[in-house]
Amino acid sequence: MTERLAHDHSLPVNGDHKNEYLFDADLLQSIFKQYLLKDHKLEGNIYDGKYLIRPLSLKDYDHGYIDLLRQLTECGKISYEEFQERFYEMKQCSNTYHILVIEDMNLNKKIIGTTTLVCEKKFIRQLGVRGRIEDVVIDNEYRGQQLGKLLVDLLTKLAKEKCDCYKISLECKDNLIGFYKQFGYDHEDKQNYLCQRFQK
Amino acid sequence: MTERLAHDHSLPVNGDHKNEYLFDADLLQSIFKQYLLKDHKLEGNIYDGKYLIRPLSLKDYDHGYIDLLRQLTECGKISYEEFQERFYEMKQCSNTYHILVIEDMNLNKKIIGTTTLVCEKKFIRQLGVRGRIEDVVIDNEYRGQQLGKLLVDLLTKLAKEKCDCYKISLECKDNLIGFYKQFGYDHEDKQNYLCQRFQK
């Protein structure tokens, strides 16, 4: 099935641009409206008159999306075909991968920020959904404009109100605890995060 | 697409039992062989002569799977149709949901243990995959037989060797840190786990 979808990249057709996005941009409309109450710089899906906020698109491969991720961690070499295949694998998992990007409308549509909300489907909690915030990165040259705050806040609201998550979590370094507390994230009593890494 | 798959529950056909499972049982074969070196009670997919180890099946709805989960946390009321729909939503997300169960072969195929490995697809780390161990539960009446250890060990190996995870993590209460350390899980320096819960 992945194979079949991987060859559907001739989409969008008939002027329908929705298919070019990783997830349905309509999900964001009411979330944008709420955010506006806190920060008047957001008008529709445009922030501060120059930044477009939208789901990841296949075209972002050509606009620096992977280079942006490299500011977070190693990415290796990724061809367009590999990017496309992974994009469609994610898209095939319905209501799961919500990658939000910020496009600099004045600089060749360069992608200058991104954050991911991943939703895990459960049987517990009445077929519940658990959200996780992953891979938060703002281009070095665009920091100090509250853009990271914008993305995390939008995706936290998306998790609660559109994805119906009963819980949302994230991992972060010590110096970012204060940043995330402003959105309602906090340590939980007696709860531990354990991890192991494998050599590749 | 979910809709289409949700009506495929007449499977398996032609004696092919693979389709009844949430994930491909063949993935487990080499993992079983490795585990055997540590614990001779495992023969093929049978542990201690009485417990069948296999992927979750739709039929497990009738064999106490949800009741088992209730020993972990609240599950609410879940109809067979809802269970089936969620099962196929998970199955549609290829290489993502690996729910392993233990069936008591001597007690009407009762499900007495389960653990989940969820694999998240990434763009970072050369299109990497990140694993998470979730929802570990062994029936109260079957504790003390190393069955939890068996499931966590099998899924940790699956994550590393078959799902190609670069990292695997879990959250646990203080009293279980020692249990998970035996499989290689540990705290990471300066790494924090933050969370928030939403009223439903």
Side-chain angles (χ1 to χ4, degrees):
Chain A
M1 195 169 293
T2 305
E3 201 51 30
R4 188 183 65 74
L5 284 169
H7 290 92
D8 277 350
H9 63 274
S10 53
L11 296 169
V13 290
N14 299 329
D16 176 7
H17 290 277
K18 278 190 180 179
N19 278 316
E20 77 184 71
Y21 289 142
L22 184 63
F23 68 97
D24 182 359
D26 286 349
L27 282 177
L28 297 166
Q29 297 316 313
S30 63
I31 308 297
F32 284 149
K33 279 182 199 156
Q34 269 188 60
Y35 193 84
L36 179 62
L37 300 175
K38 286 207 294 193
D39 187 341
H40 294 292
K41 285 185 182 170
L42 191 70
E43 294 184 37
N45 55 354
I46 293 172
Y47 190 75
D48 206 12
K50 53 191 170 186
Y51 301 123
L52 183 62
I53 318 294
R54 58 167 175 77
L56 180 71
S57 154
L58 263 186
K59 294 173 185 165
D60 296 331
Y61 180 85
D62 293 322
H63 296 120
Y65 176 66
I66 301 293
D67 279 341
L68 175 66
L69 290 180
R70 287 197 176 95
Q71 294 187 30
L72 181 69
T73 188
E74 54 179 303
C75 293
K77 204 170 152 69
I78 300 173
S79 71
Y80 178 71
E81 288 68 29
E82 289 169 326
F83 177 77
Q84 181 178 250
E85 186 178 358
R86 175 51 46 101
F87 183 93
Y88 282 118
E89 281 173 352
M90 289 179 172
K91 192 163 172 156
Q92 186 204 16
C93 297
S94 61
N95 306 319
T96 302
Y97 295 97
H98 306 85
I99 303 183
L100 207 55
V101 299
I102 303 178
E103 169 189 319
D104 184 342
M105 298 161 70
N106 300 320
L107 197 71
N108 290 323
K109 303 184 174 184
K110 186 183 177 189
I111 302 304
I112 56 98
T114 186
T115 301
T116 300
L117 164 68
V118 183
C119 291
E120 179 201 337
K121 299 173 204 297
K122 298 276 201 186
F123 285 108
I124 61 169
R125 305 271 172 161
Q126 188 90 44
L127 309 171
V129 175
R130 172 172 178 176
R132 288 188 178 86
I133 296 289
E134 292 284 320
D135 305 331
V136 180
V137 53
I138 301 296
D139 189 302
N140 282 319
E141 295 181 15
Y142 291 79
R143 295 198 181 154
Q145 298 181 60
Q146 311 284 305
L147 297 175
K149 186 177 170 181
L150 173 67
L151 292 184
V152 173
D153 211 359
L154 291 172
L155 285 182
T156 302
K157 286 182 168 56
L158 187 71
K160 182 181 179 186
E161 293 169 27
K162 296 293 174 178
C163 302
D164 209 23
C165 293
Y166 67 90
K167 172 163 115 173
I168 182 166
S169 63
L170 56 85
E171 297 101 45
C172 72
K173 300 281 185 189
D174 293 351
N175 60 320
L176 286 169
I177 296 174
F179 173 75
Y180 288 112
K181 277 192 174 179
Q182 70 186 306
F183 311 109
Y185 297 92
D186 209 342
H187 288 105
E188 288 204 307
D189 199 31
K190 295 180 184 167
Q191 197 71 347
N192 298 274
Y193 168 76
L194 307 180
C195 179
Q196 65 180 300
R197 290 168 189 270
F198 303 124
Q199 290 295 329
K200 298 287 285 180
Chain B
M1 195 170 292
T2 305
E3 202 50 32
R4 190 183 63 75
L5 285 169
H7 291 92
D8 277 351
H9 64 275
S10 54
L11 296 170
V13 288
N14 299 330
D16 177 6
H17 290 277
K18 278 189 180 179
N19 278 316
E20 76 184 72
Y21 289 142
L22 183 64
F23 69 96
D24 183 358
D26 286 349
L27 282 177
L28 297 166
Q29 296 316 312
S30 64
I31 308 297
F32 284 150
K33 279 182 199 156
Q34 269 187 61
Y35 192 83
L36 179 62
L37 300 175
K38 285 207 294 193
D39 186 341
H40 293 292
K41 284 184 182 171
L42 190 69
E43 292 184 40
N45 56 353
I46 294 174
Y47 189 74
D48 206 13
K50 54 193 174 187
Y51 301 123
L52 183 63
I53 317 295
R54 57 166 176 77
L56 180 71
S57 154
L58 264 186
K59 295 174 184 165
D60 295 331
Y61 180 84
D62 293 321
H63 296 121
Y65 177 66
I66 301 294
D67 279 339
L68 175 66
L69 290 180
R70 286 196 176 96
Q71 294 187 30
L72 181 70
T73 188
E74 55 179 301
C75 292
K77 204 170 152 66
I78 300 173
S79 71
Y80 178 71
E81 289 67 29
E82 290 169 326
F83 177 77
Q84 182 178 247
E85 186 178 358
R86 175 53 44 101
F87 182 93
Y88 282 118
E89 281 172 353
M90 288 179 173
K91 193 163 171 157
Q92 187 203 17
C93 297
S94 60
N95 306 320
T96 301
Y97 295 97
H98 306 85
I99 303 183
L100 206 54
V101 299
I102 303 178
E103 169 188 321
D104 183 341
M105 298 161 71
N106 300 321
L107 197 72
N108 290 322
K109 303 184 175 183
K110 185 182 176 189
I111 303 303
I112 57 99
T114 185
T115 301
T116 300
L117 163 68
V118 183
C119 290
E120 179 200 337
K121 299 173 204 298
K122 298 276 202 186
F123 286 107
I124 61 169
R125 304 270 173 166
Q126 189 89 47
L127 310 171
V129 175
R130 173 173 177 175
R132 288 187 178 88
I133 296 290
E134 292 282 320
D135 306 330
V136 180
V137 52
I138 300 296
D139 189 302
N140 283 318
E141 295 180 13
Y142 291 78
R143 295 198 182 154
Q145 298 181 61
Q146 311 284 305
L147 297 175
K149 185 177 170 181
L150 173 68
L151 292 183
V152 173
D153 210 358
L154 291 171
L155 285 181
T156 302
K157 286 181 168 56
L158 187 73
K160 181 181 180 186
E161 293 170 27
K162 296 291 175 180
C163 300
D164 210 24
C165 294
Y166 67 90
K167 173 164 114 171
I168 181 166
S169 63
L170 56 86
E171 297 102 44
C172 71
K173 299 282 185 190
D174 292 350
N175 61 319
L176 286 170
I177 296 174
F179 173 75
Y180 287 113
K181 277 192 174 179
Q182 69 186 308
F183 312 108
Y185 296 91
D186 209 341
H187 288 106
E188 288 202 307
D189 199 31
K190 295 178 184 169
Q191 196 72 347
N192 299 273
Y193 168 76
L194 306 180
C195 180
Q196 66 179 300
R197 290 167 190 271
F198 302 125
Q199 291 294 332
K200 299 286 287 182

